[in-house]
Amino acid sequence: MASLAVWQAVATMIARLRTAPLLRDAFARKILALAMASVGLSFVLGCAAGGLWQQLALGSHQISVTLTCGLLYGGLGLLLALLYEAIFLSKERELDVKIVDQLDRERVQAEITALKAELDPHFIFNALTTVSHLTGEAPETARAFTQKLAQVYKYFLINKDRELISLHDELRFIEDYFYLLQIRYDNGVRLHLQLPSTTETVMIVPCSLQLLVENAIKHNRFSEREPLNICVKVIDSNVVVQNELRRHSFAVESTHIGLPHLRQHYRLLCNLDIVVQETEHHYSVTLPLIKQQNL
């Protein structure tokens, strides 16, 4: 009971002292003040308890016994104060880490949302230009192109705010997207899929494959006679997007934020990283696949 009373008294005092203006920002001064106050309060309580016990049990009073009780209680108060402060600082640090993580998530999500808002009009502009060109020369192809364009943009709208989507759905989307690219670039790009039979149970960040395919097309030269080959394959627990490396001889306009945002998205979402590799003839990006039971 005595220990509980000392703990309650120390905890109440520390909670009040911690908000004092002089101790709010000075860590060393705060610890020293809390320790001294805890020892002083516990010493007084110990002396009072020792004196009361002597009067009730012995009918006499010795100052040495009273001081001994006070010192014992003072030591106990110091230990309890340090324990209380350690628990408080641990909880405070845990809360700070959660707040920082949440702020990082919100910042990255805002940047990704801004990126998507920037990409969507650019994609639609290029697609409508292609439709306009095809309408006069190949009406049937223009009709098929428009239908695929509607499917692609529907995917954008439905999944742009989701954190993850099945690899199966992402691959269906990339096939529709690649159909548009083949018409636009006159079969100057080719897609090769090397995938397992089951892709519904693993997840991926929405539109991540589209971003990598778009980067491959943006930064490499190709033609119908020398098409750019892009391969999407699953290796172990990763999906790899690899393309032939034929960089343009001129500088390509780029925001340089798509791939860094994708890397940050994976780090915040599942604490995994993407791997970028470049050789003399190939460029590849490896994305981790996330199993549904791990979510």
Side-chain angles (χ1 to χ4, degrees), residues 1-11 41-42 45-46 73 76-77 80:
M1 289 294 293
S3 298
L4 181 61
V6 173
W7 169 262
Q8 187 62 45
V10 169
L41 176 61
S42 301
L45 290 175
Y73 271 67
L76 177 62
L80 292 177

Side-chain angles (χ1 to χ4, degrees), residues 150-276:
Q151 294 176 16
V152 166
Y153 203 65
K154 180 181 178 181
Y155 182 92
F156 271 125
L157 295 177
I158 293 176
N159 299 301
K160 66 179 182 178
D161 295 324
R162 296 180 61 179
E163 289 188 333
L164 292 171
I165 195 167
S166 72
L167 179 60
H168 174 76
D169 291 342
E170 179 77 0
L171 289 170
R172 289 179 56 188
F173 159 69
I174 206 65
E175 287 177 333
D176 290 338
Y177 177 75
F178 212 83
Y179 174 85
L180 304 180
L181 295 177
Q182 286 182 309
I183 293 179
R184 179 183 172 193
Y185 295 113
D186 296 324
N187 295 314
V189 290
R190 294 178 182 174
L191 178 66
H192 307 276
L193 301 178
Q194 300 175 15
L195 305 166
S197 56
T198 303
T199 54
E200 290 89 349
T201 58
V202 289
M203 313 293 283
I204 194 171
V205 172
C207 303
S208 54
L209 297 184
Q210 180 266 337
L211 171 66
L212 299 179
V213 169
E214 183 181 46
N215 280 349
I217 292 172
K218 180 188 299 183
H219 295 286
N220 293 278
R221 64 183 186 277
F222 55 87
S223 65
E224 191 170 3
R225 302 179 74 178
E226 288 186 282
L228 178 69
N229 290 291
I230 302 174
C231 179
V232 179
K233 53 188 175 183
V234 172
I235 301 178
D236 297 328
S237 299
N238 304 286
V239 58
V240 180
V241 180
Q242 183 184 71
N243 61 268
E244 297 168 314
L245 193 59
R246 305 179 197 155
R247 294 198 185 278
H248 293 290
S249 56
F250 53 87
V252 177
E253 182 180 352
S254 175
T255 60
H256 299 289
I257 58 176
L259 199 58
H261 280 183
L262 186 59
R263 175 180 282 111
Q264 187 74 353
H265 200 156
Y266 266 100
R267 286 177 180 172
L268 291 176
L269 189 62
C270 52
N271 198 28
L272 296 173
D273 205 351
I274 67 176
V275 178
V276 178

Side-chain angles (χ1 to χ4, degrees), residues 109-119 257:
Q109 188 59 48
E111 291 174 346
I112 291 174
T113 301
L115 177 63
K116 288 176 179 177
E118 186 176 299
L119 288 176
I257 58 176

Side-chain angles (χ1 to χ4, degrees), residues 11-32:
T12 303
M13 182 191 64
I14 290 176
R16 293 183 177 179
L17 285 177
R18 186 176 284 111
T19 59
L22 291 177
L23 303 179
R24 191 170 298 163
D25 300 319
F27 180 76
R29 188 190 304 166
K30 179 193 297 183
I31 294 297
L32 181 60

Side-chain angles (χ1 to χ4, degrees), residues 81-96:
L82 294 176
L83 177 62
Y84 184 91
E85 192 66 16
I87 294 174
F88 177 84
L89 291 176
S90 176
K91 294 293 184 182
E92 192 175 54
R93 176 176 175 79
E94 184 179 337
L95 180 60
D96 288 343

